[in-house]
Amino acid sequence: MRHAIRTLINSPGFTLVAVATLALGVGANAAMFSAVNGVLLKPLPFSNPDSLVHIWTENHSGVKSSQAPGSYLDIRRQNRSLVEMAGYRTDMIGLATNAEPLQVEGVYVTSEFFDVLGTPAAYGQAFSKARGQHPGERLVVLGDEAARRLFGTPDAAAGRPVRVNAESYVVAAVMPASFAWPRSAGVWVLSAKDVPPAPIEGADAPTNRDIRYFEAVGRLKPDVTLAQAQQDLDRVAVQMAAEHGNTEARAIGLTPVREEIIGDVSGALWLLQAAVCLVLLIACANISSLLIARATGRRRELAIRAALGAGRGRLIRELLTESLIIGTAGGLAGLLLGAWLIAVLVRVLPENVPRATNIGLDVTVTAVTIAAALLASVLFGILPALQGSRADAIVAMKEAGDRGGSARARGRAALVVGEIALTLVLLVGAGLLINSLMRLQRVDTGMRPEHATVAFLNVPQTRYATAAAQTQLYGRLIEDLSGLPQIDAVGVGFPGPLHGSSASGSFDIEGYTPPTRADRPFAYIGTISGNYLAALGVPLLSGRTFTASDSAEAPPVVLVSAALARKYWPGENPVGKRIRFDDDPKSPWVTVVGLVGDTRQLGLREPAPALLYFP
C-alpha cells in the first residue's frame, strides 16, 4: 500500500488527471442515481402501496377523466373488489391561527381518505370513517411543515383550533414529514359531505352525473388482482348504464397509484441513468489507457522486480492497489461533486417532477456511489495490471527504447475502439433528445408566448374568504396592471395555461337530442376574465369576449373553443347557440357569445380539447 501511494505521488500529473476523470464520471452518476432513487426506488409513504389504485372514468371522447358525485357514489356502493375508496380534490387552502396566515396546497377529502391510504399520523389521530367519524365534523389534518409554521412544533398541533379559509376547524392530527400526497399537499380538510366540495356551485349534489371535478382512490381487497378488479368495475359500468343511461361513466378504469404518481418520468430517468453510466465507462476506458501507457514506461522496473523473485500475482496486486487508491480518491472527489450536482439538480428540476423532495445524498446514494467508484477502479485497472505483470527482464532490456509490444498495442487499440463506440452511443442519444426537444418547441400550443408572462397568484383565503371578495381583488389587480404603459393586456384564469382543467362535464345543446344519454356533448371547463385569452395571444374568431356587464346577475354566457364548435356545430357559427348542464327544464340556458381559438390546455402531447370558458 505504502509503495503504491509513493508511486502515485511521484507521478502527480498522471494521478491528478486520473482522479479528476473518475470524479467527473462518479459525480454525474451520484447525481443521477439520487434522482432515480428518490423518485422511483424509495417506497411510497403508504401502507402496502401496491394495492392502492386510482379510479377514473372515461368520457364520451374516450379520454380518461375524473369523478362526478353520482357515479362515484354508485361505484362505492356497487363494487365488490375494493376494501374502501375515497374522494379528494386539490386546491389552495388558507390556514390561520394567531400566527401569520399561510396559503398551502391542500386537499378536500372524504372521511375514508386515510383509511384507504393506511398511513398513520405522527401526532394525534387522522379522521377515519372506520372509527365512527363521519362527514360533518370540522376536522383538518396538517402536514409537518404547516404544523411547524402554525404552532412551532408538530407535537403541539393536535387538538388545537385553526381557521381554514376563515372557518373554524380543529386539528385532528399531524402527518409525518415524509407524507405529502397528492402532489405536495400540506393540509387535508374533511369534507362535510360524502364527496369533496365542488369548485362550481351545486356540482357536489349526489344526483350530479355531468360535472366531474374530483379524483378517487381505492384499496384492492387482499385476494383481488388488478385484472379481477377491472372486470368488477366493468360490471359496475354496465349496471350504471342500465340504471342511468350511462350519463357519466362510459367506462371505469383502474391505474396503480405508483404508476399514477410517477407517470412517464420513469423511462426518462432510467434513460438518463444509462447515459451517465456510459460516461463512467468512457472515463474508465480513458484511465485504463493512461495506466497502460504508464505501465509501458515502467516495464523495465517491473521486469527487474520479477527477475528478483516477485511473482506475477504480487505484481498484479500492486498494480490493482494503485488502481484502488485512484478509485477511492476519485470516488470521494466524485461524492463531493455529486453533492453539489444534486443541489443544482433539485433547483432546476421542473415543478411537475414527482417526489422531487426525496432527491438527496442519503445513505443509499452514498453507498452506491462508493461501490461504483471501487467497481470502476477494478474495471480500469484489471487490463493494465494483467499486461504490466507479464514482465520479462530480457525482453524488457531489448525493448528499452521501444514504445511497447504488440499485445499492449492491441490492448490500447481495443480501449480506443470501445471509447469511440460508447461516445457514438451517447452522441446518438443526445441527437435524439435534441430532436425531441425541437419537435416539442414546434408544437402549436394555440398561444403566443412571446412577451407573455404568467404569474400564479395564491389568494389568502383567510383575508378573501368569499367569492365576491376574491372577484373584487382580481378586478383591482387587472385595473392596476392595465394602467401600466408596458402592458397591452391583462387577464385572470383558472386553471393556468397548459395546466389541465378544474372540471369537465356533459351538457345539452338547444335543439339537439342525442341518440342516447351516453352521446351527450362533453367539454372541459375553465374560468377566465375578459382579456385573459388576449393576453395569451389566443385569437377571438367570432363574436365577443367577456365584458364587465357579464356579471352574476346578468344572463349567463360562455365562450367556446374551435374544437368544440367543429365537433358539435360543424360548418356553423356557434355564436348565439345555447347550452345548459342541468337536466331540469327550469335551468337557465347559457348563451354562446364568442368563438375562440384552440389551445393545448391538457398538455403538449394531447390534442386541443373541446373547451368551455365561463366568466
Side-chain angles (χ1 to χ4, degrees):
M1 175 71 75
R2 289 194 297 270
H3 181 267
I5 293 175
R6 284 198 304 270
T7 302
L8 292 174
I9 291 176
N10 290 333
S11 303
F14 161 79
T15 304
L16 287 175
V17 170
V19 169
T21 301
L22 182 61
L24 290 173
V26 169
N29 273 269
M32 198 63 245
F33 181 74
S34 70
V36 170
N37 181 58
V39 176
L40 304 180
L41 303 183
K42 281 189 176 180
L44 297 174
F46 312 126
S47 171
N48 190 17
D50 291 337
S51 66
L52 290 176
V53 291
H54 174 244
I55 305 158
W56 46 270
T57 58
E58 185 179 286
N59 66 30
H60 306 289
S61 301
V63 178
K64 188 166 72 172
S65 187
S66 48
Q67 299 284 343
S71 60
Y72 166 81
L73 295 173
D74 279 352
I75 296 170
R76 256 190 62 192
R77 184 172 54 253
Q78 297 177 16
N79 86 85
R80 301 169 187 166
S81 55
L82 302 175
V83 176
E84 187 56 274
M85 62 182 287
Y88 63 93
R89 179 177 71 84
T90 58
D91 202 351
M92 296 304 300
I93 294 174
L95 301 174
T97 57
N98 294 328
E100 184 71 21
L102 300 179
Q103 195 74 3
V104 180
E105 186 170 358
V107 196
Y108 292 100
V109 301
T110 59
S111 59
E112 307 87 0
F113 185 78
F114 290 104
D115 295 331
V116 171
L117 299 184
T119 305
Y123 305 97
Q125 282 192 330
F127 42 77
S128 166
K129 192 168 186 177
R131 290 196 298 270
Q133 294 169 331
H134 299 283
E137 295 183 273
R138 302 176 73 83
L139 299 176
V140 63
V141 172
L142 297 179
D144 182 84
E145 182 180 354
R148 291 180 186 276
R149 294 176 64 183
L150 287 170
F151 299 102
T153 58
D155 57 343
R160 299 277 293 275
V162 64
R163 291 191 300 279
V164 178
N165 293 346
E167 297 183 359
S168 297
Y169 279 74
V170 173
V171 178
V174 177
M175 298 305 292
S178 60
F179 184 89
W181 189 81
R183 295 190 295 190
S184 302
V187 59
W188 298 264
V189 181
L190 177 61
S191 173
K193 297 183 179 181
D194 288 332
V195 297
I200 300 173
E201 185 176 356
D204 55 1
T207 55
N208 168 35
R209 296 178 177 275
D210 295 324
I211 300 177
R212 283 170 270 190
Y213 66 90
F214 67 96
E215 306 297 329
V217 62
R219 182 176 291 276
L220 299 177
K221 291 181 178 179
D223 57 342
V224 175
T225 65
L226 186 66
Q228 290 170 335
Q230 184 59 67
Q231 291 178 352
D232 179 44
L233 292 189
D234 290 341
R235 173 192 59 80
V236 172
V238 172
Q239 187 171 342
M240 290 169 57
E243 293 176 358
H244 305 287
N246 203 4
T247 59
E248 176 62 24
R250 189 169 185 170
I252 306 168
L254 297 173
T255 303
V257 164
R258 176 182 293 277
E259 181 180 325
E260 194 74 22
I261 291 174
I262 295 174
D264 56 2
V265 172
S266 176
L269 286 179
W270 284 119
L271 181 63
L272 291 172
Q273 181 65 67
V276 294
C277 283
L278 288 179
V279 171
L280 181 58
L281 288 176
I282 292 174
C284 289
N286 282 326
I287 299 173
S288 187
S289 297
L290 291 174
L291 286 171
I292 289 176
R294 185 167 178 268
T296 301
R298 299 175 61 191
R299 289 174 61 211
R300 293 186 63 189
E301 171 202 340
L302 296 172
I304 292 172
R305 292 181 61 191
L308 293 176
R312 188 181 181 193
R314 182 173 179 178
L315 294 178
I316 291 176
R317 285 196 301 273
E318 181 177 329
L319 293 173
L320 281 179
T321 299
E322 294 179 12
S323 299
L324 288 172
I325 293 172
I326 293 172
T328 301
L332 293 175
L335 205 58
L336 294 175
L337 176 63
W340 179 77
L341 290 175
I342 290 170
V344 173
L345 180 66
V346 170
R347 285 198 298 269
V348 302
L349 276 177
E351 291 182 0
N352 58 351
V353 173
R355 310 186 73 202
T357 54
N358 291 328
I359 298 175
L361 188 63
D362 57 13
V363 175
T364 302
V365 176
T366 301
V368 169
T369 301
I370 293 174
L374 295 178
L375 177 61
S377 65
V378 174
L379 287 176
F380 66 66
I382 189 67
L383 181 60
L386 290 174
Q387 290 196 354
S389 64
R390 295 193 188 111
D392 185 287
I394 297 175
V395 175
M397 296 301 179
K398 289 180 178 179
E399 297 177 353
D402 200 355
R403 299 289 296 176
S406 60
R408 292 176 177 81
R410 287 195 298 270
R412 288 195 295 271
L415 287 173
V416 171
V417 170
E419 289 181 66
I420 293 173
L422 292 173
T423 303
L424 284 175
V425 171
L426 283 177
L427 287 174
V428 171
L432 292 174
L433 288 175
I434 292 172
N435 180 59
S436 298
L437 178 61
M438 293 176 65
R439 289 174 60 187
L440 283 176
Q441 290 178 330
R442 289 195 295 266
V443 171
D444 183 11
T445 63
M447 311 172 197
R448 290 189 291 106
E450 300 85 4
H451 309 296
T453 301
V454 177
F456 293 91
L457 178 63
N458 295 328
V459 177
Q461 302 285 340
T462 52
R463 184 174 179 182
Y464 303 95
T466 65
Q470 294 175 21
T471 301
Q472 291 178 359
L473 171 65
Y474 293 138
R476 291 197 303 270
L477 180 65
I478 291 172
E479 182 179 353
D480 291 344
L481 291 176
S482 298
L484 298 176
Q486 304 92 334
I487 295 178
D488 290 331
V490 180
V492 175
F494 181 80
L498 303 177
H499 274 64
S501 174
S502 60
S504 61
S506 302
F507 57 94
D508 293 318
I509 296 175
E510 186 179 30
Y512 170 72
T513 302
T516 66
R517 291 195 58 80
D519 297 309
R520 294 178 71 204
F522 172 88
Y524 292 93
I525 301 170
T527 305
I528 63 172
S529 66
N531 280 334
Y532 174 80
L533 296 176
L536 290 175
V538 179
L540 177 66
L541 304 178
S542 180
R544 66 173 177 86
T545 186
F546 299 132
T547 65
S549 62
D550 296 317
S551 62
E553 295 75 23
V557 294
V558 68
L559 301 177
V560 301
S561 69
L564 187 145
R566 287 193 302 270
K567 188 171 185 178
Y568 299 118
W569 293 289
E572 298 183 57
N573 187 341
V575 175
K577 307 291 187 181
R578 300 200 299 175
I579 66 170
R580 68 181 174 193
F581 283 92
D582 202 326
D583 289 338
D584 187 354
K586 297 180 181 179
S587 297
W589 289 97
V590 183
T591 302
V592 177
V593 295
L595 171 66
V596 298
D598 288 328
T599 61
R600 292 181 181 261
Q601 184 63 28
L602 304 182
L604 296 180
R605 294 186 177 182
E606 300 293 335
L611 288 169
L612 293 171
Y613 298 101
F614 288 90

